[in-house]
Amino acid sequence: VQLQAFGGGLVQPGGSLRLSCAASGIIFSINDMGWYRQAPGKQRELVAGITAGGSTNYLDSVKGRFTISRDNAKNTVHLQMNTLKPEDTAVYYCNADIRPRAHAYPSVYWGQGTQVTVSS
């Protein structure tokens, strides 16, 4: 199983970016999916999470600006980021709780990280 994230880049304050993450390989089901971020010198933090049923949760500082969504048919998760601020600058990682086979235990997989830089 692999997770591949893409969509990061450089954007001005107030701008928008959309991150996407696709899971591939042998996958029976995916439970929770999420986006984390890690800024230099800081701990990795959960930005947004989404359950298989579509329930979401967000870091307080991104509520109202970021939206997480998923496409269960395509094993993808997205993060729409609007009104970006310099403090959103970080490497963003996707993760997913994946059951590779029907009778296997689920495991958490991580994407490779994509850089988001918000600067004028």
Side-chain angles (χ1 to χ4, degrees):
V1 176
Q2 287 187 328
L3 293 182
Q4 184 173 6
F6 48 95
L10 173 65
V11 64
Q12 292 186 342
S16 297
L17 280 176
R18 179 177 172 85
L19 304 182
S20 295
C21 178
S24 61
I26 299 175
I27 297 171
F28 175 75
S29 64
I30 302 178
N31 301 319
D32 296 348
M33 304 183 82
W35 288 94
Y36 287 71
R37 69 186 181 188
Q38 187 166 20
K42 295 187 177 181
Q43 290 188 332
R44 189 174 296 189
E45 61 183 357
L46 175 64
V47 177
I50 185 167
T51 67
S55 296
T56 59
N57 62 286
Y58 295 93
L59 182 68
D60 282 348
S61 63
V62 308
K63 286 180 180 177
R65 301 189 296 122
F66 291 10
T67 302
I68 189 171
S69 61
R70 63 189 284 172
D71 184 332
N72 291 331
K74 296 181 179 179
N75 293 332
T76 57
V77 62
H78 308 281
L79 185 67
Q80 177 66 43
M81 305 185 293
N82 297 329
T83 319
L84 282 160
K85 303 176 180 180
E87 51 264 42
D88 295 317
T89 296
V91 177
Y92 284 70
Y93 299 88
C94 60
N95 84 340
D97 187 38
I98 297 174
R99 187 187 302 273
R101 294 179 177 83
H103 301 292
Y105 288 104
S107 297
V108 175
Y109 294 85
W110 290 87
Q112 80 282 12
T114 183
Q115 177 70 46
V116 172
T117 302
V118 185
S119 175
S120 55

